[in-house]
Amino acid sequence: MTGRNGRGIDGGSGSSPAANGRPDRTGEASPLNTIGRPMRKVDGLAKATGRARYTDDIQLPGMLHGKILRSPHPHARIVRIDTSRAEALEGVHAVVTGRDMPTPYGIIPWTPDEHPLCVDKVRYIGDGVAAVAAIDEDTAIAALDLIDVAYEELPEYFDPHEAIAAPSGPYIHEPRKPGWSGNITKVVKLEFGDVEAGFAEADVIAEHDYFFEGTTHTPIEPHCAIGLAAGDGKLTVWSATQVPHYLHRELARVLEVDPAKVRVIQPPVGGAFGGKSEPFDLEFCVAKLSMLTGRPVKILYTREEVFYAHRGRHPFHMRYRTGATSDGMLTSVDARIVLDGGAYASFGLVTTYYSGQLLTAPYQMPAYRFQSTRAYTNKPACGPKRGHGSVQPRFAFEVQLDRIAERLEIDPIELRRRNFIGANTRTVNELRVTSNGFLECLAEVERASDWKRKHRRLPFGRGVGVAGSTYISGTNYPIYPNEMPQSGIQLQVDRSGRVAIFSGASEIGQGVDSMVAYVVAEELGVPLDHIRVLAGDTDFTPVDLGAYSSRVTFMLGNACLQAARKLKAMVRDAVAEEWEAKPREVLLAGGMALRAGDTGTSMPLRAAFNLAEAKFGTLGATGSYNTPKDVHGSYRGGTIGASPAYSFTAHVAEVEVDTETGFVTVDKIWIAHDCGRALNPVLVAGQMEGSAYMGFAEALMEEHIFKSADEGRAGLHNAPSLLDYRIPTSLDTPALESLIVESIDPEGPYGAKEAGEGPLHPSIPAIANAIYDAVGVRMDSLPFSPPRVWRALQAAGRGKAAGRTRQAVGAGRAG
Amino acid sequence: MEIVRLRVNGDERSCGVPAHYTLLETLRYGLGLTGSKQGCDKGDCGACTVIVDGRAILSCITPVWEAEGREVRTVEGLASGMETHPVQDEFDLNGAAQCGFCTPGILCSSVALLDRNPTPTREEIRAALAGNLCRCTGYEKIYDAVEAAAARLST
């Protein structure tokens, strides 16, 4: 069931299946020519030669530069804004404030609580209040200094518990109903099965508190946008976004422009990870400033602005109670979670559901209850970061399992095996699970890491830990309710034999443009270099909802498969007619049309396409994908968390803990991930390694935190730079080994599921559990930084002077 | 505005830029060489890395006048004619570029490394790339690519 992270590559199409060297899942020779092989990316050469043009690489004639004035206060009423001195500055072409764009928006239609620029109030240090367009960046910066804003400061909330407890206003937002708190975005309480009866049956109950610190995406490309309003009323916005369709809608709605006149172009994006998955102030501002000046306007965030724009991982305060029988079978799980949401809702309504909904696999839970409350605080808004809403509870839960395994003296991999939920089943919260390769994932990491020889057997200071997880392959319901497809694709065939793919999906580095090319190459037998992918332009491409929720391979892949098969049917019909054969006897492979069982009969694909064009007229096809709508829970909120397929992951981490300094070194992470089928194993392994890297970073290094009042400026970002907000360098990052597991999902394209987010989850608890194995200390608060680990060691009497053997520190400990 | 003269990718170039411009700003906004990227503006991320007189340097914290009279090589100058540098080709083959934004800087650091050490160990590659942040890959595929390029260059 496993394939290794293959190296070596060929042109990508046309050679024999055997060259793949990988047996099919069924053990038969693979029928696939392209899918499953290492292949070049369609944009690989452009990216390796510096020719890929990102948003800030675009220079338009007469372009102005924009800058946004940001609030110095975490919570204040805007009393007055005077822009007259800025407008009078030579070189300034336009100044806008919140009053110029008064329509509120929000990525979730039920929580539209922000404006392009603040209208009445600022809610965090860094909230935008005015924007300037000037002949150059220096002039725009000078103009910001000339905007006079009078503020009236309001009470601030930085702690979510204090925000929730506030008995009366002024709240951060107006309460949505009289008597409600304006400091709460959402409360979700759901219960499945009889939780209390489950605890009554339990032989062992673990109850512990956990804290997951906030972290941010930190793409290397800062957000950038260019607006161009033309005299004919058309508005074009180029943006480093991962959701061009939602941006299209919101630009039209907020700026009151006919959506048919709005065009969003998404150039290659230099990393996103969820941090570019909703509209941001700069996109509205460049559009509005261009509408006022008639000239193109560009805004490029500084790195500091990227940190304040945020929308990253929510800090979670979690309490878990987990019951199990003496043979390690889970009986009941109860969770209480407080989410620190920051100043705006963003995706927070979904995050609040995800914090509970996505925990119910890969283990069987007879009973489960969660209560999650998302608070507003006067800090940059949190949102979706890779593994949206489920990375935090997964950390807590997998440490809970490690504690139970320890207490019951069951190997933690064995404990996870025993609780395996299985394939083709429903979770306790009624989510439909189809393919499930979790047991193979466990077996792979157990084997590759030499687990049995290492766990509880390494010398003091070294340890291994395991964790598992699941994640969605897209969401069954789109962000705004509608019955239309979630993904669409359009194919067009040229008389030269070239196939063009028009794709609305967002290439953010994950390889979606290549993925659709592989599908077309497979179905039509076209060499990869005869395929063009035109993507990310709402004027020319069908709608795809965006690069979020790990949805594109599953959804766009299926849409592309459908379109390619329609085209294939036409080509086979036309060739069959020519050969007086049956259509099913016509094979398309290796740039040729071939007759099955007749090696002497063939023609180049170009000729086959020409025959089809002669028979059917101009050749093209569309394909679309929509999710099944009957696979979710039957209760309110039961649609959230429902996905057409779930991926599964297991990690083993091996660590070394320096008891003198508290410094944790992660030597290696073994990553086994069930991606359904690896359409290109090199790209899948890249997603797995990038995910594990990012989880490792959250475990040991990253803290998106803010100064307190006694540090001088409450609400000021602690470290808004890539020097001080430490993300791992090559020297920090552990060795990462990808172990691809393929369960062949019945509904995924060629059986594929997601690989971009799931493999992040187990890194963090696997490292926590490895630290325990190494030094017998539980780390329940992130990150596991040297001061935290050192203090925990001191508290447990396991620092430098303490006992040196595991027996001295760990014996009989219930975790 | 100041007139600066640079030797970039073998060409003598001159252009007028504000006196405070860095080498990166001059390359990107003065000369249209947008391959070199700005990720942080203060020498933290390495996306702006170019090769000056054979050494990988951070162009975003190099005042442009410091580069005058020196040999500047950017990602656009790594290929010779139609032939890409083996590191560029191996980046494509090994999936070493995901979003690709850090890639130009990493390619320059890699080429500078291979020019002075044609047979680096994996540890030496790791050390040479310590100034280039990549947020996508976890670095493994990048090491694979540089190793493969070194092997190709030495045969």
Side-chain angles (χ1 to χ4, degrees):
Chain A
M1 291 289 283
T2 59
R4 292 301 295 263
N5 159 22
R7 288 186 53 192
I9 214 159
D10 69 346
S13 176
S15 38
S16 77
N20 187 349
R22 299 172 54 214
D24 186 48
R25 310 283 69 78
T26 58
E28 297 163 13
S30 170
L32 299 172
N33 291 318
T34 300
I35 294 300
R37 309 163 63 95
M39 286 165 287
R40 289 180 188 268
K41 289 168 76 174
V42 295
D43 53 359
L45 184 66
K47 284 179 173 173
T49 52
R51 277 203 284 272
R53 293 221 305 166
Y54 298 80
T55 308
D56 186 46
D57 299 339
I58 298 168
Q59 300 289 337
L60 298 177
M63 191 163 75
L64 301 173
H65 290 265
K67 278 280 168 193
I68 296 173
L69 180 69
R70 299 191 175 280
S71 164
H73 302 294
H75 196 195
R77 209 177 304 284
I78 299 171
V79 178
R80 187 175 57 256
I81 303 182
D82 182 353
T83 59
S84 56
R85 290 197 301 143
E87 284 162 26
L89 183 70
E90 178 66 33
V92 169
H93 285 256
V95 183
V96 291
T97 68
R99 302 258 174 230
D100 297 304
M101 295 177 276
T103 306
Y105 71 92
I107 184 69
I108 302 294
W110 295 275
T111 54
D113 64 356
E114 52 189 319
H115 292 86
L117 295 168
C118 296
V119 178
D120 299 315
K121 265 175 73 163
V122 293
R123 294 180 175 86
Y124 69 95
I125 292 180
D127 225 352
V129 292
V132 169
I135 45 158
D136 55 33
E137 205 173 6
D138 291 344
T139 308
I141 292 167
L144 294 187
D145 285 340
L146 300 175
I147 298 172
D148 301 304
V149 188
Y151 295 99
E152 177 194 328
E153 292 187 54
L154 295 168
E156 313 147 346
Y157 297 96
F158 300 110
D159 179 89
H161 300 96
E162 287 174 18
I164 292 167
S168 60
Y171 295 117
I172 296 171
H173 289 273
E174 285 303 307
R176 274 180 292 157
K177 288 183 186 172
W180 286 23
S181 167
N183 286 353
I184 294 174
T185 319
K186 182 71 185 170
V187 180
V188 177
K189 294 181 197 178
L190 287 171
E191 182 163 355
F192 311 97
D194 191 335
V195 170
E196 292 312 321
F199 283 120
E201 279 170 41
D203 298 309
V204 44
I205 295 174
E207 183 167 1
H208 297 278
D209 291 319
Y210 298 87
F211 174 63
F212 199 109
E213 186 55 272
T215 64
T216 199
H217 320 81
T218 331
I220 307 298
E221 178 200 32
H223 303 53
C224 185
I226 302 168
L228 174 59
D232 56 4
K234 288 184 188 150
L235 171 68
T236 304
V237 172
W238 289 257
S239 179
T241 180
Q242 52 191 121
V243 286
H245 174 64
Y246 295 134
L247 180 59
H248 182 185
R249 284 169 54 88
E250 293 300 279
L251 283 169
R253 202 174 62 76
V254 172
L255 299 174
E256 297 174 359
V257 182
D258 179 350
K261 290 192 167 183
V262 177
R263 176 183 184 185
V264 174
I265 299 176
Q266 178 240 306
V269 172
F273 315 110
K276 297 171 178 170
S277 57
E278 59 199 288
F280 287 85
D281 54 12
L282 81 170
E283 291 151 330
F284 297 106
C285 288
V286 294
K288 187 71 184 178
L289 289 166
S290 184
M291 288 161 72
L292 291 172
T293 59
R295 291 172 64 167
V297 179
K298 177 193 279 184
I299 296 181
L300 169 67
Y301 275 177
T302 62
R303 177 52 60 181
E304 190 175 8
E305 285 179 296
V306 176
F307 277 98
Y308 281 98
H310 190 44
R311 316 284 159 151
R313 188 90 69 215
H314 288 65
F316 271 26
H317 301 262
M318 302 173 279
R319 163 157 289 206
Y320 273 86
R321 196 163 169 238
T322 312
T325 60
S326 58
D327 57 356
M329 303 306 291
L330 293 172
T331 60
S332 202
V333 176
D334 187 12
R336 288 180 76 91
I337 301 174
V338 170
L339 296 76
D340 185 350
Y344 295 100
S346 178
F347 282 83
L349 184 140
V350 176
T351 321
T352 314
Y353 275 103
Y354 277 4
S355 70
Q357 286 288 75
L358 300 185
L359 195 68
T360 53
Y363 316 111
Q364 185 78 50
M365 284 183 194
Y368 175 46
R369 173 169 68 203
F370 70 93
Q371 177 179 329
S372 295
T373 306
R374 184 183 191 267
Y376 286 117
T377 50
N378 292 114
K379 296 181 281 193
C382 298
K385 183 183 169 193
R386 202 172 197 171
H388 181 192
S390 79
V391 169
Q392 303 97 321
R394 183 57 62 184
F395 155 62
F397 188 72
E398 295 289 325
V399 174
Q400 288 281 93
L401 291 185
D402 208 60
R403 288 182 142 119
I404 289 170
E406 162 105 29
R407 217 186 286 185
L408 297 172
E409 296 178 355
I410 299 172
D411 177 276
I413 290 182
E414 173 58 21
L415 181 104
R416 285 169 170 80
R417 258 188 208 116
R418 287 185 195 175
N419 284 286
F420 177 55
I421 193 168
N424 304 313
T425 183
R426 291 250 178 185
T427 63
V428 70
N429 55 345
E430 301 177 38
L431 305 179
R432 182 198 66 162
V433 173
T434 52
S435 60
N436 187 342
F438 182 61
L439 287 183
E440 288 85 348
C441 292
L442 284 175
E444 277 296 287
V445 291
E446 184 178 48
R447 174 192 61 74
S449 69
D450 204 3
W451 171 266
K452 286 180 178 149
R453 201 181 55 76
K454 288 178 180 167
H455 184 244
R456 299 292 190 262
R457 288 181 171 80
L458 292 171
F460 183 74
R462 289 191 72 83
V464 288
V466 68
S469 67
T470 186
Y471 200 63
I472 52 176
S473 297
T475 62
N476 273 346
Y477 291 83
I479 283 175
Y480 66 97
N482 73 84
E483 299 298 317
M484 291 177 279
Q486 295 216 31
S487 279
I489 208 119
Q490 195 160 2
L491 303 180
Q492 173 257 333
V493 179
D494 184 66
R495 292 181 183 177
S496 63
R498 192 253 303 119
V499 179
I501 304 172
F502 294 84
S503 161
S506 298
E507 175 61 64
I508 59 171
Q510 84 282 46
V512 60
D513 285 356
S514 300
M515 185 275 291
V516 290
Y518 303 153
V519 171
V520 167
E522 180 64 47
E523 291 302 314
L524 295 175
V526 191
L528 273 180
D529 58 5
H530 287 185
I531 296 172
R532 304 286 180 275
V533 182
L534 294 102
D537 183 332
T538 60
D539 260 14
F540 296 110
T541 59
V543 167
D544 175 88
L545 294 181
Y548 65 93
S549 293
S550 278
R551 52 180 296 289
V552 290
T553 293
F554 199 97
M555 298 192 184
L556 191 75
N558 270 323
C560 192
L561 197 54
Q562 187 188 63
R565 285 181 176 165
K566 282 185 193 169
L567 206 50
K568 184 179 181 175
M570 287 194 271
V571 175
R572 291 169 103 183
D573 268 0
V575 175
E577 195 173 282
E578 175 80 7
W579 286 344
E580 296 178 354
K582 294 193 171 67
R584 62 180 163 78
E585 291 172 334
V586 178
L587 310 177
L588 308 179
M592 304 289 285
L594 310 158
R595 185 165 182 178
D598 175 5
T599 50
T601 305
S602 69
M603 71 172 78
L605 262 184
R606 181 171 60 186
F609 287 165
N610 292 168
L611 282 174
E613 188 177 338
K615 181 172 168 67
F616 295 105
T618 299
L619 269 193
T622 60
S624 54
Y625 174 81
N626 210 342
T627 46
K629 300 294 191 229
D630 56 347
V631 297
H632 57 78
S634 51
Y635 50 94
R636 182 177 161 84
T639 57
I640 305 185
S643 173
Y646 295 85
S647 73
F648 297 91
T649 315
H651 288 186
V652 166
E654 183 165 344
V655 308
E656 192 171 352
V657 182
D658 183 333
T659 53
E660 207 169 323
T661 62
F663 196 93
V664 176
T665 304
V666 179
D667 291 324
K668 186 161 184 174
I669 303 176
W670 290 268
I671 314 150
H673 179 71
D674 165 22
C675 66
R677 186 194 291 276
L679 302 183
N680 177 345
V682 173
L683 301 197
V684 169
Q687 289 301 307
M688 292 164 64
E689 288 155 20
S691 291
Y693 146 91
M694 201 169 265
F696 152 81
E698 296 189 49
L700 292 196
M701 297 169 70
E702 298 186 21
E703 285 182 287
H704 194 254
I705 55 174
F706 300 85
K707 297 204 186 297
S708 63
D710 25 308
E711 290 168 296
R713 285 284 302 282
L716 193 69
H717 196 292
N718 189 58
S721 79
L722 290 177
L723 183 65
D724 298 313
Y725 179 91
R726 289 207 53 221
I727 68 173
T729 68
S730 54
L731 295 176
D732 300 310
T733 305
L736 304 166
E737 184 175 335
S738 298
L739 304 152
I740 296 172
V741 170
E742 298 187 306
S743 61
I744 312 300
D745 187 78
E747 295 176 23
Y750 307 102
K753 305 188 284 190
E754 76 91 28
E757 302 188 71
L760 188 152
H761 293 69
S763 295
I764 300 157
I767 291 169
N769 294 337
I771 292 171
Y772 181 77
D773 189 46
V775 292
V777 166
R778 286 286 175 201
M779 296 304 301
D780 295 337
S781 288
L782 284 163
F784 315 139
S785 55
R788 279 225 174 103
V789 175
W790 185 84
R791 275 187 222 112
L793 286 162
Q794 294 299 309
R798 277 157 226 176
K800 187 187 172 191
R804 296 287 178 164
T805 65
R806 182 180 319 285
Q807 285 71 21
V809 301
R813 188 177 153 80
Chain B
M1 284 283 178
E2 308 270 325
I3 302 294
V4 292
R5 288 183 178 77
L6 296 172
R7 191 166 176 81
V8 184
N9 300 330
D11 293 336
E12 284 293 342
R13 304 286 303 266
S14 62
C15 69
V17 295
H20 63 72
Y21 255 32
T22 62
L23 175 58
L24 178 68
E25 288 168 309
T26 307
L27 290 170
R28 286 180 58 78
Y29 308 126
L31 298 174
L33 292 168
T34 53
S36 305
K37 303 302 182 202
Q38 177 185 315
C40 71
D41 223 2
K42 50 181 85 158
D44 298 337
C45 77
C48 68
T49 304
V50 299
I51 303 169
V52 174
D53 290 346
R55 284 184 56 227
I57 62 116
L58 298 168
S59 66
C60 81
I61 50 170
T62 302
V64 63
W65 49 263
E66 273 193 17
E68 284 196 281
R70 299 166 72 183
E71 198 75 37
V72 180
R73 205 171 163 203
T74 71
V75 66
E76 290 94 342
L78 298 182
S80 22
M82 292 294 286
E83 198 173 325
T84 54
H85 191 285
V87 177
Q88 293 175 300
D89 196 43
E90 291 295 339
F91 260 61
D92 188 10
L93 290 171
N94 287 277
Q98 287 186 24
C99 83
F101 203 77
C102 69
T103 304
I106 293 188
L107 288 168
C108 287
S109 292
S110 302
V111 168
L113 167 70
L114 293 173
D115 283 350
R116 70 170 186 274
N117 176 5
T119 54
T121 63
R122 204 160 172 103
E123 280 310 302
E124 287 169 334
I125 297 167
R126 261 181 105 183
L129 299 181
N132 294 89
L133 296 173
C134 169
R135 195 59 164 162
C136 293
T137 62
Y139 300 103
E140 291 281 351
K141 299 271 179 282
I142 294 172
Y143 307 149
D144 291 348
V146 179
E147 279 181 346
R152 261 164 76 171
L153 283 164
S154 63
T155 52

